[in-house]
Structures are given as C-alpha cells and as structure tokens.
Amino acid sequence: MKVMKFGGTSVGSPDRMKDVCKLVTASGQQVFVVLSAMSGTTNSLLEISNYLYKKNTDGANEVINRLEVKYNEHVDQLFSTDEWKKTTRDFLHEIFDYLRSFTKELFTSFEEKNIVAQGEIMSTNMVVNYMKEQGINATLLSALDFMRTDKNAEPDARYIKEKLNAVMAANEGSQIYITQGFICRNAYGEIDNLQRGGSDYTASLIGAAINAEEIQIWTDIDGMHNNDPRIVDNTAPVHQLQFEEAAELAYFGAKILHPTCVQPAKYAGIPVRLLNTMDPEAEGTTISNSTERGKIKAVAAKDNITAIKIKSSRMLLATGFLRKVFEIFESNQTAIDMVCTSEVGVSMSIDNDSHLNEIVDELKKYGTVTVDRDMCIICVVGDLDWSNVGFETLATEALKDIPVRMISYGGSNYNISFLIKESDKKRALQNLSDTLFNN
C-alpha cells in the first residue's frame, strides 16, 4: 500500500480536491491518503485564536462568518447532488458553531489547538464525502484515534502502529483510507499537533506503521531542485537523494520538506517521493537509503544567521573551555548551526537571536566576543566523503570572489557549508549553480 500526502495548495479549491481524487484512484490500488487543511484555512483559524486571546469576540466571529461563507461556496462547487451538499453543509455548520462556542469561554493554548485542528477535519470530511458521491469506497479514519505523542512531545510509534492497524482492520476492504495530517493527541489525551513537519510527518509515521511500499508527498513543485528557483536561473529537479542529503537540504533552507519528518521512513527503509499535483507525470524526487556516489546534488541557503566569535589566549590547553561555551547556549535554549575552532578562539553561528544579549554577556567572562549579523549559510550537498578528491575545491572555487566568514566541512559525509553575508547570497547561489551544475 502507498501513502499519499497532499498539502494545503493541493486541496486549496474544489477543482484541486477533484484532481486529488483522480490521482488517488488512478491506479485502482488500495491507498492511504493524508490531507492538510485547505490553503489559507490554518491562517484564518490562527487569526480567530488571536482575537480570542485578546478577548475580541466580535473580531473572532467576523473571521468565523467569513470563513463559513467561503466553505459553503466550496460545497456548491464541489458536489453535484443536493444530498451530499446538505450532508457536508450540515457537518460544516457544526464545526463553525463549535468555533463560535470558544467566544464564550476562557481562552488558552489548549483551546487554540482545538481550533487549529478543525482545518484538517473539514478538508478530510469534504474530500471523503466527494469520493462517496462519486461511488468510491473511501473511509475516513480520524487521526485523533491513533496519532499520539508521548510525554516528551515525540510521536509514540508503538501506540500509533497498534491503534492504526486496529482501526484499519475494523474498516477492512476500503479502497481509500483518508486521515488528517498534523493533528494528534498528546500523552494526556488532549488535542495537539506534531509541530515539526506537520502533515509530512504524519505521512511518514503512517508509512512506517503500516510498512508502506512508498510514501508520496504531493506539493505544487516537481520535487527538490538543485538550487533555489526563486533566486537562481536554470534550476532543475534532483531525481534521487539519500535521506541524509535530503535532511541537510531541508535544514539549510529547502522549504519543500522538514528535516525531521522523513526520519520514520528512513529507519523503516521506505522510499519517499516528492511529486507535483500540477504536473503528475513529472518524475519528482525520490529519497531513499541509497547513495549516488561521486555526485554533488544540490545547494540550499539559510537566512537570518548571526555569527559569534569568542577569542581568548587563556583557552590554550584549557580543558573544559568548549564545554563552558556550549553550556551558555544550552542554558539560553539556543541551537548552534556551525562551529569552527582554533587554538585561541571559537566561532559559532545561530539562527535564533532572541537570547543573543544574554549569551554575549555570559561569553564575555571567558574572552573577547565579536558578533556579525545579517549572515547566510550556503550549504552544498552530495557525496562529499573526504576520499572524493577535489569536491570541496569545486565549491570553494565557485565562491572565490565572495568573502567567506566560516567554512564547515567534515562533520557530515554529505555537506560542506559556507557562512557569508546575506547581501552576497544571490551571487553565491548563482556562482555555485554555474560551477557545479550548468557546466
């Protein structure tokens, strides 16, 4: 069985929903479908929550009413029979009445998660009802019945596998199973969400739980490109990536995929394909545990980086110095992206500067601190094992005319990273494409 996940733009209109139904039924095989909320819905639900936090019930009701009108229009366009129009409209009316009920109560983050979950609940019900109207044997499985996180807010893989297989067995014989992405229950039974990776994470967890043959992530672009197509000319899809290569690209800026969401698929050995709902025949990108040797695959960029350097002649041969430095970042809950060390100094980069002042104040106890803002990490990904002579030279040659603040190489067999000024980003990405791919 294949798992097929469709994002918000893929179900963003009645016509797109119809296209999704054609895609999932085209093979005639049994399929498990994961859906996001319709594009724009989650933002509207967050806006409602924002008004309720501020105790502005009029503002919240205005957004609720506007969203309800929009959904009722979608129902008229999606369904062709009065029976299914009425069934779906009645269901949606209950959802919007439920949203209105929050305007009368104390509002906390718990209520917000309940509100945000309604986007996926509405989209899945609409699609299942449309399939039934078309005579398709489709079954809706509520993610709240099997998707759960543990007390550390991590997915409870054993629970998910046990409960999911049980609810599928209770609905045996369905051609299409459909569920909500993103939403779940926490260890205490409250409605929550998976946060990182959202619906992609749901699809990967389901694929691992049912031992799927393949997990397909359908978006509005034909796979991961070898550079950012919004900035660089003549980019092309990368047809094959190793899981760690994909994770590096996702972490360093490739927005099509979250770096952690494919981990369950990686450990289960299930390939993940990134496909385009606008061009279903496109090959897309396949992510697996296989590595293509001797190839540089892609380049990605991560913005809003701050570099911090601490220099101290006292650190020479001083045991515990790096531990003290890293503990400062840990105590301020700030992750480090890149690290470079020498005998008299250490440089680090961070992408969250909310505690920068506190970090700098504490670091000054141990040496002279320098801060560089408005930086950018350029990440080159591929088979970059140190035995591949000359690969790192190709990347550095492309940046020969661009000032480089830091270089990180050797921490991974798949990545070499450069820290540069954000103002040099476009030129750096284009130079790398010209050197690595367009020749």
Side-chain angles (χ1 to χ4, degrees):
M1 183 186 295
K2 293 180 181 178
V3 175
M4 302 175 73
K5 175 264 175 180
F6 294 90
T9 54
S10 297
V11 292
S13 70
D15 286 340
R16 294 273 177 86
M17 287 183 171
K18 292 175 183 179
D19 290 340
V20 164
C21 294
K22 291 175 185 175
L23 283 171
V24 301
T25 57
S27 67
Q29 298 177 343
Q30 201 175 36
V31 177
F32 203 117
V33 179
V34 178
L35 299 181
S36 298
M38 292 180 70
S39 57
T41 297
T42 300
N43 286 340
S44 294
L45 295 172
L46 289 170
E47 185 181 4
I48 292 165
S49 300
N50 193 29
Y51 277 121
L52 292 175
Y53 274 123
K54 294 177 169 61
K55 304 188 186 306
N56 184 350
T57 57
D58 289 341
N61 279 321
E62 185 175 331
V63 180
I64 293 169
N65 293 339
R66 190 166 63 237
L67 194 61
E68 185 172 24
V69 169
K70 177 181 175 181
Y71 268 82
N72 283 329
E73 290 173 353
H74 288 327
V75 169
D76 285 333
Q77 297 168 35
L78 182 62
F79 298 95
S80 57
T81 63
D82 290 338
E83 176 190 355
W84 284 106
K85 285 182 181 180
K86 183 179 185 307
T87 298
T88 308
R89 195 173 281 116
D90 288 347
F91 169 78
L92 292 174
H93 184 69
E94 290 180 9
I95 294 288
F96 286 106
D97 276 352
Y98 176 65
L99 294 178
R100 291 185 185 96
S101 72
F102 289 99
T103 63
K104 306 178 182 68
E105 299 176 0
L106 177 69
F107 197 77
T108 67
S109 60
F110 172 77
E111 283 77 24
E112 179 182 20
K113 288 176 180 176
N114 277 265
I115 284 178
V116 172
Q118 303 312 307
E120 281 76 12
I121 291 172
M122 289 191 289
S123 65
T124 49
N125 272 273
M126 290 173 71
V127 171
V128 164
N129 286 353
Y130 174 74
M131 286 187 174
K132 289 179 178 177
E133 184 186 53
Q134 302 305 305
I136 300 166
N137 183 8
T139 299
L140 178 61
L141 305 179
S142 174
L144 301 178
D145 290 339
F146 61 85
M147 192 62 62
R148 188 177 79 169
T149 56
D150 58 24
K151 291 182 179 179
N152 296 316
E154 295 294 335
D156 188 336
R158 181 178 297 180
Y159 178 95
I160 293 168
K161 182 173 183 176
E162 178 185 331
K163 293 297 182 182
L164 177 55
N165 283 283
V167 296
M168 289 181 68
N171 293 276
E172 193 175 7
S174 293
Q175 180 189 353
I176 310 292
Y177 295 101
I178 295 183
T179 196
Q180 301 87 16
F182 183 57
I183 67 174
C184 64
R185 293 192 186 275
N186 60 27
Y188 310 100
E190 301 162 338
I191 292 179
D192 211 324
N193 55 65
L194 296 173
Q195 298 177 16
R196 299 167 301 176
S199 297
D200 292 348
Y201 209 176
T202 301
S204 188
L205 290 164
I206 288 172
I210 66 173
N211 195 27
E213 62 179 280
E214 182 177 88
I215 299 165
Q216 298 179 352
I217 308 294
W218 290 81
T219 65
D220 55 359
I221 188 171
D222 49 345
M224 271 196 186
H225 278 229
N226 58 14
N227 211 324
D228 191 336
R230 299 167 301 179
I231 298 174
V232 176
D233 299 326
N234 302 319
T235 66
V238 181
H239 296 307
Q240 195 278 336
L241 286 169
Q242 201 263 5
F243 276 115
E244 289 189 40
E245 291 173 340
E248 295 275 14
L249 288 170
Y251 181 77
F252 285 104
K255 303 296 185 186
I256 191 172
L257 197 66
H258 192 281
T260 61
C261 76
V262 293
Q263 285 183 354
K266 172 187 173 182
Y267 297 137
I270 300 169
V272 176
R273 291 185 69 200
L274 309 179
L275 297 164
N276 186 357
T277 50
M278 314 304 170
D279 185 9
E281 301 304 316
E283 183 178 347
T285 301
T286 299
I287 306 170
S288 68
N289 283 317
S290 299
T291 301
E292 282 188 299
R293 296 295 179 191
K295 283 189 177 182
I296 293 179
K297 296 293 188 64
V299 177
K302 189 176 185 181
D303 297 325
N304 302 315
I305 301 297
T306 300
I308 304 168
K309 179 170 72 175
I310 174 171
K311 186 174 72 172
S312 173
S313 57
R314 292 180 297 155
M315 76 171 286
L316 183 64
L317 302 179
T319 58
F321 177 84
L322 285 177
R323 174 181 57 79
K324 292 173 183 176
V325 169
F326 291 141
E327 281 178 350
I328 290 171
F329 287 86
E330 181 182 0
S331 65
N332 284 281
Q333 297 182 318
T334 301
I336 297 172
D337 287 317
M338 294 174 65
V339 180
C340 291
T341 63
S342 74
E343 286 186 323
V344 295
V346 55
S347 288
M348 295 144 292
S349 72
I350 60 174
D351 63 1
N352 177 6
D353 62 0
S354 58
H355 297 288
L356 180 62
N357 291 336
E358 296 95 313
I359 290 170
V360 170
D361 283 344
E362 292 185 55
L363 288 175
K364 284 180 177 177
K365 298 174 183 176
Y366 303 104
T368 305
V369 181
T370 306
V371 176
D372 295 309
R373 295 178 179 268
D374 300 320
M375 306 296 284
C376 170
I377 295 176
I378 303 290
C379 170
V380 179
V381 167
D383 180 21
L384 286 160
D385 187 274
W386 68 280
S387 61
N388 290 331
V389 178
F391 274 33
E392 71 282 1
T393 306
L394 280 173
T396 52
E397 176 68 17
L399 301 180
K400 64 182 179 181
D401 297 324
I402 294 172
V404 176
R405 169 70 175 75
M406 289 168 62
I407 299 176
S408 176
Y409 176 58
S412 161
N413 289 336
Y414 303 98
N415 166 24
I416 178 170
S417 295
F418 302 87
L419 185 68
I420 65 172
K421 295 177 182 178
E422 266 187 31
S423 56
D424 291 324
K425 170 184 166 180
K426 182 175 181 177
R427 190 157 56 101
L429 291 178
Q430 189 66 61
N431 287 358
L432 283 163
S433 267
D434 293 341
T435 301
L436 301 177
F437 310 125
N438 297 341
N439 288 334

